[in-house]
Amino acid sequence: MNALVWTAAGSLAAWLWLLLGQGFFWRTDLRLPPRREPEDWPYVCVVVPARDEAAVLPRSLPSLLAQDYPGRAEVFLVDDGSSDGTGELARGLAERHSGLPLTVGSPGEPPAGWTGKLWAVRHGIGLARARAPEYLLLTDADIAHAPDSLRELVSAARTGGFDLVSQMARLRVDSTWERLVVPAFVYFFAQLYPFRRIAVKGSRTAAAAGGCVLLRTDAAERARIPDAIRHAVIDDVALARAVKGSGGHIWLGLAEHVDSVRPYPRLHDLWRMVSRSAYAQLRHSPLLLVGTVLGLALVYLMPPVAFCVGLVAGSFGAAVAGGLAWLLMTVTYLPMLRYYRQPLLLAPLLPFTAFLYLLMTVDSAVQHYRGRGAAWKGRTYARPDAAPEQQ
């Protein structure tokens, strides 16, 4: 029982540190920084990589075409070998919806050493550079933007002198599994990459949210984007690291009017979303995998176990330490549930969700060693230097 008490105490100590020493990651009040509209509005090109996105484009692409932007802007959608008529649908939507001009391109099959999405982004950036824009807006095909989204992003970038401004789109939380898993996904991401540290010049923390990234063109050229990150599976984090590593000033926060319309109705859908890249996040390191599993067990699983076992076995120390750690975990999760407008009663269930993420991470490693590797839209990447295979 002494081992249980000490382990519970270690978990409590970890939560006290997370509460106060991890950049206040649990706070959700970080929105676009103070901004003012520029006197001259820069030219912006929007790049949208799309592969088999016909199901979501009718709810997302019209929002880009309808941007209320005072300057020049146009949209480049890159149809990356779709089999569902994505390109034709995009052209039809542009004809029916007036607004920003749309160009649909096709990059062909990615060569060895490129992940499919980044190859599509490269093609889109290549098309855009012929227009010599000052900024690029990199956004996914499932992201719907409020009419003033581009205007607000440019204002924030110009006012704050940022080379990269990114907003984490609000993901869908309609199904039972989405309510259980999605807010925790953003919570865990913020714990790994505290948003407040990202904007600090000289800090090592760098991350972005790939669904909404406004990037200065000269910063992209300085960081050799996307060529420098062509192997990346988690391309948004790699992008931010490359820009910040080349001297760029970056910012990441939560969005209010940028939303993902992609549904994840089943646990299987969410499982694939997480497991496709979880082991890549650990740099395919068995040691980091073991450390992550042990860390998740200590920080998230031990508190409820110590609390319940301590109560049953009459160990006051284990019950108190485990209960306090569970309470801190619950309290830090409440702001994220409020942000997603979810019932606060879900907060005590975070250990169960963390256990699911633990299993997803292990499954990601298993798939890697089976040769499946990470995947994007039907393409799998067994190794960083492997050529993509069609499924």
Side-chain angles (χ1 to χ4, degrees):
M1 196 56 67
N2 285 338
L4 180 65
V5 173
W6 281 108
T7 306
S11 181
L12 176 58
W15 274 107
L16 288 170
W17 179 81
L18 287 170
L19 177 69
L20 302 174
Q22 187 60 359
F24 297 102
F25 76 94
W26 42 271
R27 293 181 57 175
T28 57
D29 56 349
L30 194 62
R31 303 295 196 273
L32 279 175
R35 54 204 176 277
R36 60 182 180 274
E37 293 193 344
E39 294 182 1
D40 59 312
W41 291 92
Y43 185 23
V44 182
C45 287
V46 183
V47 176
V48 186
R51 179 174 167 84
D52 292 334
E53 297 287 15
V56 297
L57 274 184
R59 290 174 287 167
S60 60
L61 184 58
S63 73
L64 281 174
L65 301 176
Q67 285 299 297
D68 178 19
Y69 184 67
R72 293 178 58 205
E74 58 183 305
V75 180
F76 294 87
L77 185 139
V78 183
D79 180 12
D80 185 18
S82 299
S83 60
D84 64 352
T86 289
E88 293 79 3
L89 175 62
R91 293 185 183 93
L93 289 169
E95 291 176 359
R96 292 195 296 273
H97 296 272
S98 60
L100 301 184
L102 172 73
T103 299
V104 177
S106 180
E109 286 300 308
W114 281 84
T115 59
K117 181 179 179 180
L118 285 172
W119 179 245
V121 170
R122 185 181 192 272
H123 183 76
I125 291 177
L127 293 174
R129 278 178 177 158
R131 310 291 203 274
E134 184 175 339
Y135 288 94
L136 300 165
L137 175 60
L138 310 179
T139 186
D140 290 341
D142 65 309
I143 303 300
H145 294 256
D148 63 348
S149 177
L150 181 56
R151 185 178 193 140
E152 293 291 283
L153 286 166
V154 170
S155 297
R158 278 287 188 89
T159 303
F162 295 107
D163 297 291
L164 182 154
V165 173
S166 178
Q167 288 185 290
M168 179 161 283
R170 200 190 301 259
L171 304 177
R172 206 186 83 142
V173 284
D174 291 347
S175 72
T176 299
W177 285 112
E178 287 171 340
R179 293 188 180 99
L180 189 65
V181 174
V182 166
F185 175 82
V186 182
Y187 174 88
F188 293 144
F189 186 91
Q191 192 177 91
L192 286 172
Y193 307 102
F195 294 171
R196 281 171 173 76
R197 293 180 180 173
I198 289 172
V200 176
K201 291 183 178 180
S203 75
R204 298 179 61 184
T205 306
C212 179
V213 177
L214 183 74
L215 177 63
R216 284 186 64 93
T217 305
D218 57 357
E221 293 173 351
R222 188 169 60 246
R224 297 189 302 112
I225 301 296
D227 296 61
I229 59 171
R230 62 187 180 276
H231 300 304
V233 175
I234 310 175
D235 52 276
D236 43 12
V237 175
L239 168 66
R241 285 174 175 166
V243 172
K244 194 168 189 177
S246 63
H249 191 194
I250 69 176
W251 184 94
L252 170 65
L254 295 173
E256 291 183 319
H257 304 294
V258 178
D259 302 288
S260 172
V261 299
R262 190 183 307 283
Y264 294 97
R266 303 170 299 167
L267 177 60
H268 173 72
D269 303 314
L270 291 160
W271 194 289
R272 289 183 60 189
M273 178 189 76
V274 175
S275 65
R276 76 176 184 88
S277 59
Y279 197 41
Q281 179 70 51
L282 302 177
R283 301 194 291 274
H284 303 114
S285 167
L287 289 178
L288 287 178
L289 175 65
V290 171
T292 298
V293 169
L294 293 177
L296 285 171
L298 174 67
V299 175
Y300 288 98
L301 306 186
M302 179 52 62
V305 169
F307 177 71
C308 295
V309 172
L311 288 179
V312 172
S315 174
F316 178 76
V320 169
L324 288 174
W326 196 359
L327 177 62
L328 288 177
M329 182 194 319
T330 300
V331 169
T332 62
Y333 192 38
L334 291 175
M336 190 60 69
L337 289 175
R338 290 194 188 98
Y339 170 72
Y340 271 98
R341 306 182 185 95
Q342 295 304 300
L344 301 185
L345 291 176
L346 291 174
L349 300 180
L350 185 57
F352 173 71
T353 306
F355 180 63
L356 290 178
Y357 274 90
L358 186 155
L359 296 179
M360 294 174 192
T361 303
V362 172
D363 181 59
S364 179
V366 170
Q367 294 301 322
H368 172 78
Y369 290 113
R370 284 182 176 175
R372 298 283 297 174
W376 184 68
K377 290 292 180 180
R379 290 194 181 104
T380 57
Y381 309 93
R383 301 178 308 278
D385 59 343
E389 299 175 357
Q390 292 288 349
Q391 287 188 324

